Amino acid sequence: MVTSPHALATRVGLDVLRSNGNAIEAAIAIGASINVTYPHFSGFGGDAFMIIRDRNGKVRTLSGIGQAPMEPPRHIDSIPVRGPASMLTTAGNVDTLGNAFEISRSELGGKWSWSELLTPAIKLAREGFPVTASQRFWTDFRLNETASLPAIAGNFMIDGRVPEVGQLFRQPRLAATIESLAVNGHRDFYEGALAARIAKGLKAAGSPLTAADLAKTRTRIEDPLRVAYRDGFLISLQPPTQGVTTLQIMGVLNRFDFGKIAEGSADYYHVLVEAIKQAFIDRDRYVADPEFSGVNIARMLSKVKLDQLAKRIQMQKALAWPNIFKTADTVFIGATDAEGNSVAMLQTVYFDWGSGVMVGDTGLLWHNRGAAFNVRPGHPNQLQPGKRPFHTLNPGMYLRSDKPHILYGTQGADGQPQTLAAILTRLIDYRMDPLSALLQPRFLLGRTFSDSRDSLKLEIDAGAPVFKELASRGHEMSPLDVQSPLAGHAGVIVIDPVSGAISGAHDPRSDGKAMGF
């Protein structure tokens, strides 16, 4: 089975599996294709992350984070969030796909060539694909910001207009760039002729990134973090991702008996939100690039620490919330095959449309992940030469008996751990099927692009009694529409560890599907 937020990309992965490809190959093909078909949320000019559990039982993570330039801008008062000056980190997406390919070929007998896996993406870019409702919405939503997002007007309109849903959209320059990668290999993006074109385009745009910075970009292949939850283990990625934050939240929730808490009740939402607050406080104090600042992961996930956080939660009183909201847009890709290989993957350009700037004639929209840096001296995410920024992306797996049971991930920056807490408790504690778990009302704590209040935003179908009770406990409540896109675009694949039966779904809030055979 495979899943992604775009049906065409999911179909590409299914075709790979049907043609004797493995789950890693399917994920690569989906990742490359969705970089074409979901340009507002994902791209080769962004970052990517994978968790791979192979048929031999080995689990590893691939953390593809671009780093700051060796000569970053100096004496700036704040980090730009859009435009050329926001192009502050290199892009790890292509190196992640390339490293995954090498693992598949060298260790798992992968049969597909690199160029074959990129061929569907080339075709989609050259021949075009129907514009999705999501792409149209985000093009229209940012239409009045084209001064800071020049790529929209110059590259993502059709005949000067916002494209209609279903209208054919082509990207010939991007097709040529992917062809170069297909012929010359993934490191062409960082050290070859393509890298020279990218460096030239970055310089012309006004980015401080250089060819030398591109060449230094390397995906980290690491052991996963893990925390016990019920009768299994949840696993995620090392810092500078917020994987530890999702694990902290779930570790705290593991201390509560959901058998005594009705799903969808005020108690249910309250305990999730309060666990999230406790973990976010730790996250903002400590989580950063461990190569530049120490992050005591063992302490953050220790029994003593999780017990302490759980004891701070008061069931009848909400903790005041001063946190700052971070926006982001991301795509989740999941894949599992008959041999026991499984992948959970996320790709991103950070904000919708990333930096808003194209790189020369490459057709590449560059991300703005450098906006996660801080200029304050001593801040854990202070901008420094060669440093990787704090990253919200954290795909995950839930293992039972050391076998993949749930593959999961979502879009949403600060909302990612929040959405995952709701989905995982519904899947594990309340034993819902994937689609039912994704359909239930979700929440988002903090500010959004449409609501600057640090309120608890809850989809309105949670019901008036729940809103009233949460307000009585001190939560500042704001309603979200039913199936609001603010609640994340999550994907789930569930594998029965005994029978091997597979079920899956992609969020009804997205344009995606899960497909299997």
Side-chain angles (χ1 to χ4, degrees):
M1 181 172 283
V2 286
T3 189
S4 87
H6 195 288
L8 285 178
T10 302
R11 173 65 65 181
V12 165
L14 185 68
D15 290 343
V16 171
L17 291 181
R18 284 189 181 278
S19 301
N20 296 318
N22 61 41
I24 296 91
E25 292 170 317
I28 293 167
I30 295 172
S33 295
I34 210 163
N35 281 343
V36 176
T37 60
Y38 242 42
H40 51 304
F41 283 178
S42 181
F44 295 103
D47 288 340
F49 303 81
M50 277 188 181
I51 300 176
I52 297 175
R53 193 275 189 186
D54 67 32
R55 66 192 182 204
N56 302 313
K58 183 175 182 177
V59 183
R60 73 200 94 182
T61 67
L62 279 65
S63 187
I65 306 176
Q67 79 284 355
M70 293 310 296
E71 295 186 14
R74 300 178 182 179
H75 311 301
I76 54 176
D77 296 327
S78 61
I79 304 291
V81 297
R82 297 286 200 183
S86 73
M87 302 161 82
L88 272 176
T89 58
T90 60
N93 181 287
V94 174
D95 199 54
T96 300
L97 298 179
N99 273 270
F101 174 74
E102 290 173 357
I103 290 170
S104 171
R105 288 288 282 219
S106 64
E107 299 182 34
L108 303 173
K111 299 176 177 63
W112 284 60
S113 69
W114 172 251
S115 62
E116 287 172 332
L117 294 174
L118 266 56
T119 295
I122 296 168
K123 184 177 180 180
L124 286 165
R126 177 168 289 117
E127 297 180 9
F129 58 91
V131 169
T132 61
S134 179
Q135 183 179 343
R136 190 200 185 284
F137 172 85
W138 287 103
T139 307
D140 187 60
F141 187 83
R142 299 298 184 187
L143 195 58
N144 294 328
E145 301 175 47
T146 52
S148 61
L149 301 168
I152 291 181
N155 299 271
F156 296 103
M157 310 282 275
I158 298 179
D159 298 326
R161 298 177 182 175
V162 175
E164 297 296 328
V165 175
Q167 194 170 358
L168 197 66
F169 183 72
R170 297 183 177 91
Q171 299 173 85
R173 290 182 176 180
L174 182 59
T177 291
I178 307 170
E179 272 194 327
S180 178
L181 287 174
V183 172
N184 299 313
H186 74 277
R187 289 304 298 180
D188 189 39
F189 192 96
Y190 303 97
E191 299 168 296
L194 177 57
R197 288 174 54 212
I198 293 171
K200 182 180 178 181
L202 288 167
K203 182 177 180 179
S207 167
L209 295 169
T210 67
D213 294 321
L214 292 175
K216 290 179 182 293
T217 306
R218 289 289 189 280
T219 295
R220 270 67 164 184
I221 302 178
E222 300 167 319
D223 292 330
L225 303 179
R226 63 173 57 205
V227 73
Y229 192 79
R230 309 310 179 203
D231 59 348
F233 285 91
L234 293 160
I235 61 174
S236 193
L237 293 101
Q238 303 271 357
T241 79
Q242 65 175 345
V244 64
T245 302
T246 296
L247 297 187
Q248 262 198 334
I249 293 166
M250 298 308 296
V252 170
L253 294 177
N254 198 38
R255 274 109 178 116
F256 290 82
D257 183 359
F258 282 90
K260 299 177 180 178
I261 299 174
E263 188 279 321
S265 65
D267 279 350
Y268 173 74
Y269 290 112
H270 178 82
V271 73
L272 263 63
V273 169
E274 295 305 298
I276 287 160
K277 290 176 181 177
Q278 295 295 334
F280 274 23
I281 291 168
D282 257 16
R283 182 197 71 175
D284 294 342
R285 285 176 180 167
Y286 305 122
V287 180
D289 188 339
E291 295 174 14
F292 287 77
S293 58
V295 187
N296 194 337
I297 296 298
R299 179 179 178 276
M300 292 177 73
L301 295 178
S302 69
K303 181 182 183 300
V304 171
K305 178 67 172 180
L306 296 175
D307 286 345
Q308 288 175 347
L309 296 181
K311 288 176 181 177
R312 292 175 188 168
I313 294 175
Q314 301 179 52
M315 287 303 294
Q316 298 305 316
K317 185 179 180 181
L319 177 71
W321 186 236
N323 208 25
I324 299 172
F325 174 79
K326 299 178 179 67
T327 184
D329 287 295
T330 300
V331 296
F332 172 72
I333 296 162
T336 189
D337 62 34
E339 293 185 340
N341 302 299
S342 293
V343 177
M345 180 182 181
L346 285 174
Q347 298 189 152
T348 181
V349 289
Y350 200 18
F351 289 19
D352 57 280
W353 304 110
S355 67
V357 180
M358 302 295 283
V359 179
D361 63 354
T362 63
L364 295 169
L365 177 70
W366 210 255
H367 64 161
N368 62 331
R369 181 54 63 172
F373 281 126
N374 194 293
V375 296
R376 180 163 58 84
H379 190 281
N381 281 289
Q382 180 186 359
L383 175 62
Q384 294 176 260
K387 187 175 183 177
R388 294 174 297 159
F390 166 76
H391 234 292
T392 52
L393 272 68
N394 63 123
M397 285 188 191
Y398 182 51
L399 306 180
R400 275 186 171 147
S401 303
D402 284 330
K403 295 181 180 179
H405 178 45
I406 304 174
L407 318 179
Y408 59 87
T410 185
Q411 168 230 38
D414 278 0
Q416 286 191 28
Q418 304 183 49
T419 294
L420 294 178
I423 292 170
L424 289 170
T425 51
R426 284 162 170 156
L427 289 168
I428 299 169
D429 294 285
Y430 299 103
R431 302 185 182 279
M432 291 185 180
D433 64 84
L435 183 57
S436 295
L438 293 174
L439 280 168
Q440 301 311 305
R442 298 207 293 258
F443 60 87
L444 180 63
L445 173 66
R447 303 174 187 178
T448 70
F449 62 81
S450 60
D451 188 338
S452 61
R453 293 172 295 170
D454 283 311
S455 57
L456 176 58
K457 298 160 180 65
L458 178 61
E459 290 180 325
I460 199 166
D461 51 335
V466 170
F467 274 79
K468 183 178 179 180
E469 176 59 27
L470 289 172
S472 75
R473 300 184 193 189
H475 296 281
E476 181 185 357
M477 302 301 297
S478 299
L480 290 177
D481 292 337
V482 176
Q483 302 296 299
S484 170
L486 291 178
H489 290 177
V492 172
I493 293 177
V494 176
I495 309 155
D496 188 296
V498 178
S499 69
I502 306 170
S503 59
H506 217 90
D507 213 308
R509 299 162 181 83
S510 75
D511 301 291
K513 285 185 178 180
M515 299 179 186
F517 70 97

